[in-house]
Amino acid sequence: MEIDMIRKIFIILVALCVLCSCGQQSPTWQEQYDLGIRYLSEGNYEEAIIAFTAAIEIDPKRVDAYLALSELYMDQEDYEAAVKILEQGLSNTDDSSIQVRLDEAKKMASIDFENLVSDALSYSGSGEMEGFEYHIPKINLDDSATVQLNQEIYDTLKYERLEADVSEYGYAEHSASYEWAVNGDVLSLVIEVEGTMWAWTDYYIYNVSILDGTRISDESVIADAGFTMDEYYTKTEQALGSSYWDGWNRTDEMFQDNGFCEMFNAQLKNTISRENVESALPYMNRSGQLCVIAPIYSLAGADYYYHKLNLSDFVFIPDYKNGVELQTHAVNISQDQAYQIACDYWNFTPGDVDGETGFEMFVTDGGTVESQSTGKTYYYYLLRWWVDSDPDSAHMSTCDWIYIDAETGECFFDTP
């Protein structure tokens, strides 16, 4: 009895399992494809690969899953896997868009990324400074556009800079170095040329398609980095303004000088101007971060200097747009009070005559002066006398002067 009962229960459970399995529907191609897209948007790449692969197995004739999966592999720099899935897709669909993507994947798979950029010329042991180095890069791709670009770079750096220096000075006046990064199919090459005898650096930026060697527009580089143009302009302005303020504090003693404040504010305005922001040259570094080379205006030396700025990694100063306030001071001393202070300073009373010359003395008002350094207002008074008693040759001559602080009444001989 117990055995029969157990057998019946087993049969019932099997039947229930069969019924349950019969009630489930297999996932569709669209469901797996949409699942892959969702995983991709969430950064869950392993699950995305599984979902796209499942979609291909469900319907090998549909193109989109092949393209999505190959793009994922390309982003992960697994070009061999991208080639393999695209060859499978081309075999199953004979679709032209897969053929285009396959050609790109094969091109990327053939590149030696470790040595994509190397020295075309390396020059050292010259110049006036120890450790002098001059390196001209070349991009190791064989398409015609890249060959032409390499020649342009070589001509610019060797003939226009290096040999021009040697011809004029007898030695190289510049050092040159470079850095490069690959993000997707974009190569960013940044060449830095520094003066060995003065603090000036020139930069040459090349954003190049690895697929065909053509130059990539700034707008495309910015879009590839995930920025809209408005976002890029805003972020570049913030980076420029914040970098301009680097090392300064609004309480610095230099900001007590109104003349310095005016110069500081003018150069800040130039640095964050739309014209200057639009002159910035964008590129991407090895972390895929958008960077720029842009002028930051200077308070000493040249009017501006070029700087490297990482738009994803800089110390943001929220009030970077606001210049420093000019110093203002109260006027507590009236004109009449200032006149009396001047008279007391010289121990003068109207009608006084100089004891040695016999000339009549006068205290005259020279107007007011505003100090460019402090912003303070000063009254200017002169102690004068009439020279010569002959009406035809008589003239007023100054024998002393003072500046009176309109805030405190303090007297100064020197110009404030």
Side-chain angles (χ1 to χ4, degrees):
M1 288 289 293
E2 291 182 358
I3 295 175
D4 290 340
M5 181 61 71
I6 293 172
R7 184 178 295 147
K8 287 179 181 179
I9 293 172
F10 178 78
I11 292 171
I12 291 170
L13 290 174
V14 171
L16 287 172
C17 290
V18 171
L19 288 172
C20 290
S21 63
C22 290
Q24 290 180 344
Q25 292 183 346
S26 299
T28 65
W29 180 93
Q30 191 65 55
E31 289 171 339
Q32 288 298 315
Y33 178 78
D34 291 344
L35 186 62
I37 295 297
R38 193 191 82 191
Y39 284 138
L40 195 60
S41 67
E42 295 171 352
N44 193 343
Y45 303 124
E46 290 184 4
E47 294 297 331
I49 290 172
I50 293 172
F52 288 136
T53 302
I56 291 171
E57 290 174 353
I58 292 169
D59 189 350
K61 294 293 185 182
R62 299 189 68 165
V63 171
D64 291 346
Y66 293 108
L67 295 176
L69 183 53
S70 67
E71 184 174 356
L72 194 162
Y73 284 138
M74 295 276 278
D75 289 342
Q76 294 182 326
E77 299 181 2
D78 190 350
Y79 304 117
E80 296 294 343
V83 169
K84 183 177 179 179
I85 198 64
L86 288 167
E87 286 178 338
Q88 178 186 337
L90 186 62
S91 175
N92 290 333
T93 67
D94 197 29
D95 184 84
S96 60
S97 61
I98 291 183
Q99 179 66 67
V100 171
R101 182 65 62 80
L102 177 58
D103 292 341
E104 294 177 354
K106 286 182 175 180
K107 172 76 173 181
M108 298 295 283
S110 69
I111 295 172
D112 178 5
F113 284 96
E114 292 294 323
N115 301 291
L116 180 57
V117 180
S118 61
D119 284 348
L121 180 145
S122 179
Y123 188 82
S124 60
S126 182
E128 299 243 311
M129 300 181 68
E130 293 184 5
F132 170 85
E133 297 285 342
Y134 199 94
H135 299 276
I136 300 177
K138 65 176 179 178
I139 303 169
N140 295 309
L141 298 173
D142 57 6
D143 55 82
S144 59
T146 303
V147 171
Q148 182 176 350
L149 178 59
N150 282 336
Q151 190 63 51
E152 174 189 327
I153 294 171
Y154 190 87
D155 290 346
T156 299
L157 296 181
K158 186 172 191 293
Y159 298 113
E160 295 181 18
R161 304 303 294 261
L162 182 60
E163 292 195 357
D165 281 353
V166 174
S167 175
E168 183 171 355
Y169 306 113
Y171 54 84
E173 272 287 301
H174 297 85
S175 64
S177 60
Y178 60 86
E179 60 183 86
W180 57 276
V182 174
N183 291 278
D185 60 359
V186 177
L187 165 67
S188 292
L189 174 60
V190 180
I191 305 172
E192 188 172 333
V193 180
E194 296 183 88
T196 59
M197 302 300 293
W198 59 87
W200 180 264
T201 304
D202 284 319
Y203 292 91
Y204 300 84
I205 310 297
Y206 302 92
N207 293 301
V208 181
S209 169
I210 295 175
L211 299 175
D212 58 16
T214 57
R215 300 285 290 272
I216 296 173
S217 68
D218 292 347
E219 292 77 11
S220 294
V221 173
I222 292 165
D224 286 346
F227 288 77
T228 66
M229 290 305 297
D230 286 343
E231 290 170 340
Y232 166 74
Y233 287 137
T234 298
K235 188 65 74 172
T236 300
E237 180 191 289
Q238 291 174 347
L240 283 167
S242 297
S243 297
Y244 180 86
W245 271 100
D246 184 35
W248 291 100
N249 189 297
R250 292 181 185 275
T251 61
D252 285 342
E253 185 177 350
M254 292 290 290
F255 295 142
Q256 300 299 314
D257 184 329
N258 276 3
F260 181 82
C261 290
E262 290 175 350
M263 180 175 67
F264 185 93
N265 291 344
Q267 295 297 64
L268 171 62
K269 183 178 179 181
N270 289 333
T271 297
I272 63 175
S273 69
R274 186 55 179 255
E275 180 181 3
N276 197 50
V277 168
E278 291 181 349
S279 75
L281 302 174
Y283 67 96
M284 284 193 283
N285 65 15
R286 295 203 170 193
S287 297
Q289 297 169 320
L290 186 62
C291 304
V292 295
I293 303 293
I296 294 180
Y297 280 74
S298 173
L299 300 172
D303 194 31
Y304 60 83
Y305 294 94
Y306 288 103
H307 290 256
K308 291 180 182 178
L309 301 173
N310 186 329
L311 300 189
S312 299
D313 185 17
F314 65 91
V315 178
F316 176 59
I317 297 177
D319 59 347
Y320 70 89
K321 287 185 179 182
N322 302 328
V324 290
E325 294 184 5
L326 301 182
Q327 300 294 317
T328 58
H329 299 272
V331 175
N332 299 323
I333 306 298
S334 69
Q335 185 83 45
D336 290 341
Q337 290 173 317
Y339 174 76
Q340 188 58 51
I341 290 171
C343 291
D344 292 344
Y345 179 83
W346 286 306
N347 195 24
F348 169 83
T349 55
D352 280 355
V353 175
D354 179 70
E356 294 184 9
T357 63
F359 297 148
E360 184 177 0
M361 309 289 292
F362 300 89
V363 170
T364 60
D365 175 15
T368 59
V369 176
E370 184 172 316
S371 170
Q372 290 186 347
S373 62
T374 67
K376 283 190 170 187
T377 299
Y378 294 84
Y379 294 105
Y380 179 47
Y381 279 90
L382 303 97
L383 180 63
R384 315 186 78 185
W385 54 28
W386 277 106
V387 178
D388 203 335
S389 58
D390 185 344
D392 294 331
S393 59
H395 62 278
M396 189 76 76
S397 178
T398 299
C399 56
D400 202 0
W401 61 85
I402 57 168
Y403 296 91
I404 301 172
D405 188 326
E407 182 179 13
T408 66
E410 188 177 1
C411 298
F412 300 90
F413 176 78
D414 292 327
T415 304

